[in-house]
Amino acid sequence: MRPSPCSVSNTKEENMDHKEEICAAKLTDDLVVDILSRLPFKSFCRFKCVCKSWLTFSSDPHYCQKLPKVPAGFFYQDSDNSAVQLVSLSKNDEGIDGTLSFLPDYEQLKFIDCCNGLVLCEYRSNHTSPDILRFIVCNPATREWRILPDTQRDADNFYYKTMLGFDPSRSPHFCVFNFHEKRGTGNLVLGTRRVEMFSSRNSLWLVNSDLWDPENNTISVSVRPHVFLDGFLYAHSDLDVLVLEDVVAEAENIGVPPSNWTIKLPLHRIDCMADHCFRGCLGQFSGMLHYAVAEEDGHTVLIWSYADGNPHGWTVEHRLSMRNALGRDDFVHYEDGWIWTCNYEIIAFDLEREVLFLIDETTNKLLSYGISTRKVDEIKDGSHWYMYYVPCYSKLPDQEPY
């Protein structure tokens, strides 16, 4: 039985006996999991952010059932920008402020995104200039927030798609990606070549004006669920996944545009219309990028994993029957004979909890589907723009002056 790579000893004790350090370092995984399982819930959640090997225990089939389950839920906000709401999926959600009532009392607060426990909102008052974008990042579990420096809107015919990046297993810092999308006559999307990137490391907005796709030249970024993993943002872009490097904070690298490239999605089709392409959903598990998408007839959902070392890139990990889940056979139709549409939409999946989340547009319900149990549960009536949320109990980094 291999020893755990992380010591569970108290590192704050500077004069710890050397023999005790050696003993702690040789604790087996079984003993570490037993210790972690006895911790208070919030302490366990914080310790998951301290050591990657402890984080992996939560996704290990042998150990995950012994450890506390972090609560989860869905944030949403109605189209009239009324109060932000959290649909909780767990009874163990005490202390999580799902309405964000701890934030300053802004006249307008618009929910934008959430990522690994942090939430991004746009805020403004009736006196805020229309040329200014203002963002705030907060943690509903610890009730902390950070106000970002203002950034400027471009001229007319630009739309903004803003995403939050945060990976507590890698860094306490977060970043925000604000994509500028050019549109033409009739709201025609002309592509995205520019992105502003903010890092909490230095409280600066940096601009990258050189986004490109080697095949299509222009990129159109979708606001469908994205992944931030090991310092890279993975976001839907037309038929592909846009991979964008995090902001580099070192002074000698400021001004150097971060690299970006694209990864072809599985079931990639040149003639695929947007409704088909964007019905898939990105996710992550055990440090790897994953993707869930319905096959063309809608009868089966495939969940793929992606690995750079794999010569084929993507590997099918799960095949889920939607016939069994939804109890019907008719899932897709073609509008005007060629635009593919599906009457359910995958909005999230969590392989640690072995669950797929989808909106059944026939019944207008948010559902969960157990990957192992094949059990379907109704979560909520009504169709909203839901964002999957799993809390993080680590502290936000101190606010840097700007």
Side-chain angles (χ1 to χ4, degrees), residues 324-379:
N324 296 336
L326 301 178
R328 60 177 187 266
D329 293 323
D330 184 18
F331 297 110
V332 303
H333 66 278
Y334 289 83
E335 296 179 359
D336 300 325
W338 63 296
I339 300 178
W340 183 97
T341 60
C342 184
N343 57 25
Y344 65 84
E345 180 180 3
I346 305 165
I347 63 169
F349 58 95
D350 188 330
L351 296 184
E352 180 178 326
R353 293 168 176 78
E354 296 191 310
V355 61
L356 177 83
F357 299 99
L358 52 90
I359 294 177
D360 182 358
E361 296 177 357
T362 299
T363 60
N364 200 30
K365 294 180 183 295
L366 173 63
L367 307 175
S368 67
Y369 178 55
I371 293 175
S372 296
T373 64
R374 301 297 194 261
K375 181 183 178 184
V376 177
D377 290 309
E378 294 183 7
I379 299 174

Side-chain angles (χ1 to χ4, degrees), residues 194-244:
R194 183 182 181 196
V195 58
E196 292 177 295
M197 295 175 290
F198 173 86
S199 172
S200 64
R201 295 186 187 94
N202 50 23
S203 294
L204 293 175
W205 284 101
L206 301 177
V207 178
N208 180 3
S209 300
D210 196 31
L211 290 181
W212 67 288
D213 184 329
E215 290 189 5
N216 304 315
N217 294 322
T218 60
I219 289 176
S220 180
V221 178
S222 166
V223 293
R224 287 194 57 74
H226 62 277
V227 168
F228 189 74
L229 183 63
D230 289 333
F232 293 92
L233 175 74
Y234 298 83
H236 281 273
S237 171
D238 293 331
L239 311 181
D240 305 317
V241 178
L242 169 67
V243 186
L244 181 60

Side-chain angles (χ1 to χ4, degrees), residues 257-301:
S259 59
N260 74 270
W261 63 92
T262 58
I263 300 172
K264 276 189 172 58
L265 289 170
L267 306 184
H268 176 103
R269 287 177 48 193
I270 298 300
D271 61 342
C272 173
M273 297 305 295
D275 191 51
H276 185 177
C277 299
F278 292 161
R279 286 299 170 117
C281 182
L282 294 172
Q284 61 173 300
F285 179 63
S286 294
M288 296 178 63
L289 180 68
H290 284 68
Y291 180 65
V293 64
E295 291 189 315
E296 189 170 355
D297 60 8
H299 290 173
T300 304
V301 167

Side-chain angles (χ1 to χ4, degrees), residues 243-254:
V243 186
L244 181 60
E245 188 179 14
D246 185 9
V247 179
V248 178
E250 288 75 11
E252 64 271 17
N253 291 313
I254 290 180

